[in-house]
Amino acid sequence: MCAAFALAQQPGQQASKADGKEWWRDAVFYEIYPRSFADSNKDGVGDLMGIASKLDYLKDLGVDAIWITPCFPSPQIDFGYDVSDYENIDPVYGTLADFDTLAAEAKKRGIHIILDFVVNHTSDQHQWFLDSMSSRTSKHRDWYIWRDGKGPEQPPNNWISDFGGSAWALDPTTGQYYYHMFHKAQPDLNWRNPAVKDAMFDVTRWWYKRGVSGFRLDAVDTLFEDPNLHDNPILPGVNVFGDPKEENKYNSKLPEVHDVLRELRKIADEYDAVLIGETWTTDIDELNRYYGDHDNELQLPMDFLFTTVKKLSAEEFRKQIAAVNLAKGWPAYVISNHDIVRSYDRYGDGEHNDQIAKLMAGMHLTLRGTPIMYYGEEIGMKTTPPSRKEDVKDPIGIRGWPQEKGRDGERTPMQWDASENAGFSKATPWLPIPDTHKTHNVATESKDANSVLAFYKQVLKLRHTNDALLEGSYVPLNEKDQNVLSYLRVSASKSVLVVLNMSGTRQTSHFDFSKQRFSQIHKLIATGESSAEGTVITLGAYGVFIGELK
Ligand code: GLC
């Protein structure tokens, strides 16, 4: 039976692809931290041929596009986010020929490759910066942000780096300071210089021609700074590095960023490519601006609202989902990435963690929008931060220890099997393998129909074949329920009900679809004791039920 819901077309919920070219709407993206995915050359660090060797796994899982975090030549101070050459591959990850092989193998399997474009800054070892710092009159001097100090040993203003300390570093050769929003080995490019823009735009063309299907734009909101260098307002308290807290009023989210995004989008459109933004915002108006006024900026500004939800809460998630569904463009949801504690640990209660991982998958993969997964999420990988300062690799952990332990914990090697190095490498891995690899690994979970991995596969398979889950509108249900998050996805031919118990106790949810002339709910996927009786759904602790209305 087919019934149209009154809410099927809410504002912001465009129903279908404009011209069939927007492949990224139906795609499931999967973030790969290349150092930690698979090591093919036995040096303890993952590489591109390692990724190539796992493409069948990714295809089988249900991944349509992989986003590889920076694999370009780099001194690896910030593990690739300090690029010294945008048009090559770092030897630690392989060669350009390896990239071409990976691209060809991915294409054969219908998997798109998205690269990470570090737009805000380069490495201090990039030729552009080396020339820039060589003299005040060098060709590339104005490619970066150089200024005189306010006085002896006084930086130009009070801006604080995201990685701790002043955002200005004094260069003794020319006696001026350069600006770095992140590490001092990551000088900010001067995007007000047209030559910088041209060079960076050319980088995207270069990769598109090599078969790349888009970019994730790193730290995009920090591209521009106030040219008058006003001091930022100081807020109460100190950050984890002991610096005064400040509002990034004059060095983040400046409107000029949108001009650049429009230009990047024009080029992307020529190649049918997608632009994904690292758009940290908790504000829906701000998120909206990244789509552009006429769908002319980012197709997928990442929605990080979920990552700000610190504990499981039907009410909180309902609020965030509702907000994003009213956004101007197609939502892109993230629950974990290489910079934040994995959702497995954010929401895990220590007792039902695997069930909670399934619950999060049940939500992430059935919402209206494009899910961006993070490697290891599908096997319930745990965040495992270092326990001793001397083991820390991440620069922010080194500087911020012990308050800030850094991001090593969410970057540990992928757990392929239960062997000593988890099947990741034949050599000692660059980060230690957590003990949980003995139970949480691809090989073991592939054999267990109740594993987190099996659940991910099931939901991903359903998602790819069910047009309500792909394109249907989002209709919230039982909005007062504090424990259970329920919604419908409604397309012209199908209505799918998703019921997620966000509590540790058994719950019963009553639905009334009589107005829509549905009387039965046909189970598609359910965990544990979750079941349907007519239109009443019973769920075990953190249970998931996905069904089709009949
Ligand atoms: C982004 C990246 C992060 C990196 C920073 C500087 O936030 O996700 O890993 O350290 O940019 O490039």
Side-chain angles (χ1 to χ4, degrees), residues 10-35:
Q10 294 171 334
Q13 298 205 23
Q14 299 99 323
S16 61
K17 288 170 255 196
D19 52 11
K21 282 177 103 189
E22 297 176 325
W23 59 270
W24 41 267
R25 287 171 69 110
D26 292 351
V28 171
F29 286 68
Y30 183 97
E31 176 187 354
I32 292 180
Y33 199 69
R35 285 188 90 75

mmCIF file of all heavy atoms in Angstrom, residues 10-35:
data_model
loop_
_atom_site.group_PDB
_atom_site.id
_atom_site.type_symbol
_atom_site.label_atom_id
_atom_site.label_comp_id
_atom_site.label_asym_id
_atom_site.label_seq_id
_atom_site.Cartn_x
_atom_site.Cartn_y
_atom_site.Cartn_z
ATOM 1 N N GLN A 10 9.052 18.534 3.417
ATOM 2 C CA GLN A 10 9.273 19.656 4.315
ATOM 3 C C GLN A 10 10.243 20.618 3.653
ATOM 4 O O GLN A 10 10.979 20.230 2.757
ATOM 5 C CB GLN A 10 9.876 19.150 5.621
ATOM 6 C CG GLN A 10 8.904 18.275 6.375
ATOM 7 C CD GLN A 10 9.574 17.592 7.548
ATOM 8 O OE1 GLN A 10 10.774 17.379 7.551
ATOM 9 N NE2 GLN A 10 8.787 17.242 8.532
ATOM 10 N N PRO A 11 10.241 21.896 4.108
ATOM 11 C CA PRO A 11 11.202 22.816 3.519
ATOM 12 C C PRO A 11 12.604 22.243 3.663
ATOM 13 O O PRO A 11 12.911 21.609 4.662
ATOM 14 C CB PRO A 11 11.061 24.089 4.371
ATOM 15 C CG PRO A 11 9.890 23.864 5.267
ATOM 16 C CD PRO A 11 9.467 22.445 5.186
ATOM 17 N N GLY A 12 13.418 22.460 2.690
ATOM 18 C CA GLY A 12 14.795 21.975 2.780
ATOM 19 C C GLY A 12 14.941 20.531 2.366
ATOM 20 O O GLY A 12 16.045 20.028 2.252
ATOM 21 N N GLN A 13 13.849 19.840 2.153
ATOM 22 C CA GLN A 13 13.960 18.416 1.816
ATOM 23 C C GLN A 13 13.696 18.194 0.326
ATOM 24 O O GLN A 13 12.645 17.715 -0.071
ATOM 25 C CB GLN A 13 12.983 17.583 2.635
ATOM 26 C CG GLN A 13 13.232 17.663 4.122
ATOM 27 C CD GLN A 13 12.706 16.452 4.856
ATOM 28 O OE1 GLN A 13 12.535 15.386 4.297
ATOM 29 N NE2 GLN A 13 12.443 16.600 6.138
ATOM 30 N N GLN A 14 14.642 18.577 -0.473
ATOM 31 C CA GLN A 14 14.477 18.343 -1.909
ATOM 32 C C GLN A 14 14.336 16.847 -2.140
ATOM 33 O O GLN A 14 15.048 16.062 -1.538
ATOM 34 C CB GLN A 14 15.702 18.832 -2.703
ATOM 35 C CG GLN A 14 15.960 20.312 -2.562
ATOM 36 C CD GLN A 14 17.036 20.550 -1.537
ATOM 37 O OE1 GLN A 14 17.119 19.853 -0.523
ATOM 38 N NE2 GLN A 14 17.859 21.546 -1.773
ATOM 39 N N ALA A 15 13.422 16.489 -3.026
ATOM 40 C CA ALA A 15 13.081 15.075 -3.128
ATOM 41 C C ALA A 15 14.048 14.262 -3.973
ATOM 42 O O ALA A 15 14.340 13.128 -3.671
ATOM 43 C CB ALA A 15 11.684 14.919 -3.683
ATOM 44 N N SER A 16 14.533 14.819 -5.055
ATOM 45 C CA SER A 16 15.303 13.922 -5.924
ATOM 46 C C SER A 16 16.496 14.629 -6.538
ATOM 47 O O SER A 16 16.609 15.839 -6.514
ATOM 48 C CB SER A 16 14.405 13.390 -7.028
ATOM 49 O OG SER A 16 13.957 14.491 -7.770
ATOM 50 N N LYS A 17 17.353 13.832 -7.111
ATOM 51 C CA LYS A 17 18.539 14.353 -7.748
ATOM 52 C C LYS A 17 18.144 15.267 -8.905
ATOM 53 O O LYS A 17 17.219 14.960 -9.637
ATOM 54 C CB LYS A 17 19.356 13.199 -8.320
ATOM 55 C CG LYS A 17 20.008 12.400 -7.261
ATOM 56 C CD LYS A 17 20.591 11.154 -7.846
ATOM 57 C CE LYS A 17 19.723 9.995 -7.483
ATOM 58 N NZ LYS A 17 20.323 8.715 -7.669
ATOM 59 N N ALA A 18 18.859 16.357 -9.048
ATOM 60 C CA ALA A 18 18.496 17.308 -10.086
ATOM 61 C C ALA A 18 18.662 16.700 -11.476
ATOM 62 O O ALA A 18 17.785 16.785 -12.306
ATOM 63 C CB ALA A 18 19.340 18.554 -9.946
ATOM 64 N N ASP A 19 19.782 16.068 -11.729
ATOM 65 C CA ASP A 19 20.041 15.612 -13.088
ATOM 66 C C ASP A 19 20.695 14.244 -13.123
ATOM 67 O O ASP A 19 21.282 13.860 -14.124
ATOM 68 C CB ASP A 19 20.946 16.621 -13.793
ATOM 69 C CG ASP A 19 22.173 16.905 -12.961
ATOM 70 O OD1 ASP A 19 22.399 16.173 -11.962
ATOM 71 O OD2 ASP A 19 22.910 17.829 -13.299
ATOM 72 N N GLY A 20 20.613 13.525 -12.022
ATOM 73 C CA GLY A 20 21.180 12.184 -12.011
ATOM 74 C C GLY A 20 22.692 12.185 -11.915
ATOM 75 O O GLY A 20 23.324 11.139 -11.864
ATOM 76 N N LYS A 21 23.302 13.366 -11.858
ATOM 77 C CA LYS A 21 24.767 13.406 -11.822
ATOM 78 C C LYS A 21 25.294 13.455 -10.397
ATOM 79 O O LYS A 21 26.476 13.342 -10.175
ATOM 80 C CB LYS A 21 25.255 14.646 -12.577
ATOM 81 C CG LYS A 21 25.219 14.485 -14.083
ATOM 82 C CD LYS A 21 25.645 15.756 -14.753
ATOM 83 C CE LYS A 21 27.074 15.642 -15.265
ATOM 84 N NZ LYS A 21 27.593 16.932 -15.724
ATOM 85 N N GLU A 22 24.423 13.668 -9.466
ATOM 86 C CA GLU A 22 24.886 13.883 -8.095
ATOM 87 C C GLU A 22 25.104 12.545 -7.390
ATOM 88 O O GLU A 22 24.429 12.212 -6.419
ATOM 89 C CB GLU A 22 23.878 14.768 -7.363
ATOM 90 C CG GLU A 22 23.785 16.134 -8.009
ATOM 91 C CD GLU A 22 22.739 17.020 -7.380
ATOM 92 O OE1 GLU A 22 21.689 16.504 -6.955
ATOM 93 O OE2 GLU A 22 22.978 18.226 -7.314
ATOM 94 N N TRP A 23 26.104 11.829 -7.862
ATOM 95 C CA TRP A 23 26.387 10.483 -7.371
ATOM 96 C C TRP A 23 26.624 10.456 -5.871
ATOM 97 O O TRP A 23 26.372 9.448 -5.210
ATOM 98 C CB TRP A 23 27.608 9.917 -8.112
ATOM 99 C CG TRP A 23 28.830 10.767 -7.940
ATOM 100 C CD1 TRP A 23 29.231 11.800 -8.736
ATOM 101 C CD2 TRP A 23 29.778 10.703 -6.870
ATOM 102 N NE1 TRP A 23 30.361 12.377 -8.239
ATOM 103 C CE2 TRP A 23 30.731 11.721 -7.093
ATOM 104 C CE3 TRP A 23 29.924 9.882 -5.746
ATOM 105 C CZ2 TRP A 23 31.800 11.943 -6.244
ATOM 106 C CZ3 TRP A 23 30.996 10.106 -4.892
ATOM 107 C CH2 TRP A 23 31.916 11.129 -5.149
ATOM 108 N N TRP A 24 27.125 11.548 -5.320
ATOM 109 C CA TRP A 24 27.511 11.602 -3.913
ATOM 110 C C TRP A 24 26.315 11.586 -2.966
ATOM 111 O O TRP A 24 26.467 11.339 -1.785
ATOM 112 C CB TRP A 24 28.356 12.851 -3.669
ATOM 113 C CG TRP A 24 27.837 14.056 -4.397
ATOM 114 C CD1 TRP A 24 28.219 14.492 -5.635
ATOM 115 C CD2 TRP A 24 26.803 14.937 -3.965
ATOM 116 N NE1 TRP A 24 27.492 15.597 -5.998
ATOM 117 C CE2 TRP A 24 26.616 15.889 -4.986
ATOM 118 C CE3 TRP A 24 26.019 15.024 -2.817
ATOM 119 C CZ2 TRP A 24 25.680 16.916 -4.897
ATOM 120 C CZ3 TRP A 24 25.081 16.038 -2.720
ATOM 121 C CH2 TRP A 24 24.919 16.959 -3.754
ATOM 122 N N ARG A 25 25.095 11.852 -3.503
ATOM 123 C CA ARG A 25 23.923 11.835 -2.609
ATOM 124 C C ARG A 25 23.621 10.437 -2.088
ATOM 125 O O ARG A 25 23.259 10.258 -0.936
ATOM 126 C CB ARG A 25 22.688 12.352 -3.342
ATOM 127 C CG ARG A 25 22.686 13.832 -3.573
ATOM 128 C CD ARG A 25 21.540 14.213 -4.489
ATOM 129 N NE ARG A 25 20.259 14.039 -3.867
ATOM 130 C CZ ARG A 25 19.457 15.034 -3.491
ATOM 131 N NH1 ARG A 25 19.825 16.280 -3.664
ATOM 132 N NH2 ARG A 25 18.292 14.795 -2.942
ATOM 133 N N ASP A 26 23.725 9.456 -2.958
ATOM 134 C CA ASP A 26 23.407 8.080 -2.562
ATOM 135 C C ASP A 26 24.628 7.335 -2.032
ATOM 136 O O ASP A 26 24.520 6.186 -1.613
ATOM 137 C CB ASP A 26 22.879 7.286 -3.773
ATOM 138 C CG ASP A 26 21.522 7.795 -4.224
ATOM 139 O OD1 ASP A 26 20.947 8.625 -3.507
ATOM 140 O OD2 ASP A 26 21.064 7.364 -5.293
ATOM 141 N N ALA A 27 25.780 7.975 -2.119
ATOM 142 C CA ALA A 27 27.018 7.265 -1.780
ATOM 143 C C ALA A 27 27.237 7.207 -0.264
ATOM 144 O O ALA A 27 26.787 8.070 0.478
ATOM 145 C CB ALA A 27 28.196 7.986 -2.436
ATOM 146 N N VAL A 28 27.933 6.157 0.149
ATOM 147 C CA VAL A 28 28.401 6.081 1.534
ATOM 148 C C VAL A 28 29.902 6.352 1.481
ATOM 149 O O VAL A 28 30.633 5.697 0.732
ATOM 150 C CB VAL A 28 28.116 4.690 2.134
ATOM 151 C CG1 VAL A 28 28.786 4.526 3.489
ATOM 152 C CG2 VAL A 28 26.604 4.480 2.263
ATOM 153 N N PHE A 29 30.346 7.338 2.240
ATOM 154 C CA PHE A 29 31.762 7.714 2.255
ATOM 155 C C PHE A 29 32.437 7.049 3.461
ATOM 156 O O PHE A 29 31.801 6.822 4.497
ATOM 157 C CB PHE A 29 31.912 9.237 2.368
ATOM 158 C CG PHE A 29 31.576 9.970 1.092
ATOM 159 C CD1 PHE A 29 30.271 10.001 0.614
ATOM 160 C CD2 PHE A 29 32.554 10.619 0.366
ATOM 161 C CE1 PHE A 29 29.946 10.668 -0.563
ATOM 162 C CE2 PHE A 29 32.249 11.297 -0.811
ATOM 163 C CZ PHE A 29 30.944 11.320 -1.274
ATOM 164 N N TYR A 30 33.725 6.814 3.304
ATOM 165 C CA TYR A 30 34.477 6.104 4.345
ATOM 166 C C TYR A 30 35.832 6.792 4.464
ATOM 167 O O TYR A 30 36.595 6.851 3.481
ATOM 168 C CB TYR A 30 34.616 4.655 3.903
ATOM 169 C CG TYR A 30 35.297 3.688 4.851
ATOM 170 C CD1 TYR A 30 34.539 2.874 5.690
ATOM 171 C CD2 TYR A 30 36.683 3.532 4.855
ATOM 172 C CE1 TYR A 30 35.147 1.931 6.523
ATOM 173 C CE2 TYR A 30 37.295 2.596 5.683
ATOM 174 C CZ TYR A 30 36.516 1.800 6.512
ATOM 175 O OH TYR A 30 37.120 0.856 7.327
ATOM 176 N N GLU A 31 36.104 7.335 5.620
ATOM 177 C CA GLU A 31 37.378 8.041 5.814
ATOM 178 C C GLU A 31 38.487 7.055 6.156
ATOM 179 O O GLU A 31 38.346 6.240 7.076
ATOM 180 C CB GLU A 31 37.250 9.064 6.951
ATOM 181 C CG GLU A 31 38.585 9.737 7.232
ATOM 182 C CD GLU A 31 38.615 10.639 8.454
ATOM 183 O OE1 GLU A 31 37.572 10.871 9.088
ATOM 184 O OE2 GLU A 31 39.730 11.109 8.770
ATOM 185 N N ILE A 32 39.593 7.174 5.435
ATOM 186 C CA ILE A 32 40.769 6.322 5.708
ATOM 187 C C ILE A 32 41.925 7.197 6.170
ATOM 188 O O ILE A 32 42.302 8.163 5.486
ATOM 189 C CB ILE A 32 41.172 5.549 4.436
ATOM 190 C CG1 ILE A 32 40.085 4.523 4.089
ATOM 191 C CG2 ILE A 32 42.536 4.876 4.613
ATOM 192 C CD1 ILE A 32 40.383 3.695 2.852
ATOM 193 N N TYR A 33 42.473 6.868 7.310
ATOM 194 C CA TYR A 33 43.698 7.514 7.782
ATOM 195 C C TYR A 33 44.816 6.613 7.257
ATOM 196 O O TYR A 33 45.034 5.520 7.805
ATOM 197 C CB TYR A 33 43.659 7.573 9.314
ATOM 198 C CG TYR A 33 44.594 8.588 9.908
ATOM 199 C CD1 TYR A 33 44.363 9.949 9.742
ATOM 200 C CD2 TYR A 33 45.712 8.195 10.634
ATOM 201 C CE1 TYR A 33 45.223 10.893 10.286
ATOM 202 C CE2 TYR A 33 46.575 9.142 11.177
ATOM 203 C CZ TYR A 33 46.323 10.488 10.995
ATOM 204 O OH TYR A 33 47.168 11.430 11.535
ATOM 205 N N PRO A 34 45.500 7.005 6.176
ATOM 206 C CA PRO A 34 46.343 6.032 5.466
ATOM 207 C C PRO A 34 47.460 5.423 6.318
ATOM 208 O O PRO A 34 47.825 4.264 6.118
ATOM 209 C CB PRO A 34 46.908 6.815 4.274
ATOM 210 C CG PRO A 34 46.673 8.248 4.590
ATOM 211 C CD PRO A 34 45.518 8.320 5.525
ATOM 212 N N ARG A 35 47.984 6.185 7.258
ATOM 213 C CA ARG A 35 49.041 5.627 8.129
ATOM 214 C C ARG A 35 48.560 4.383 8.850
ATOM 215 O O ARG A 35 49.354 3.560 9.278
ATOM 216 C CB ARG A 35 49.387 6.638 9.248
ATOM 217 C CG ARG A 35 50.190 7.798 8.844
ATOM 218 C CD ARG A 35 50.617 8.587 10.085
ATOM 219 N NE ARG A 35 51.900 8.118 10.609
ATOM 220 C CZ ARG A 35 53.064 8.376 10.053
ATOM 221 N NH1 ARG A 35 53.133 9.071 8.938
ATOM 222 N NH2 ARG A 35 54.180 7.928 10.593
#
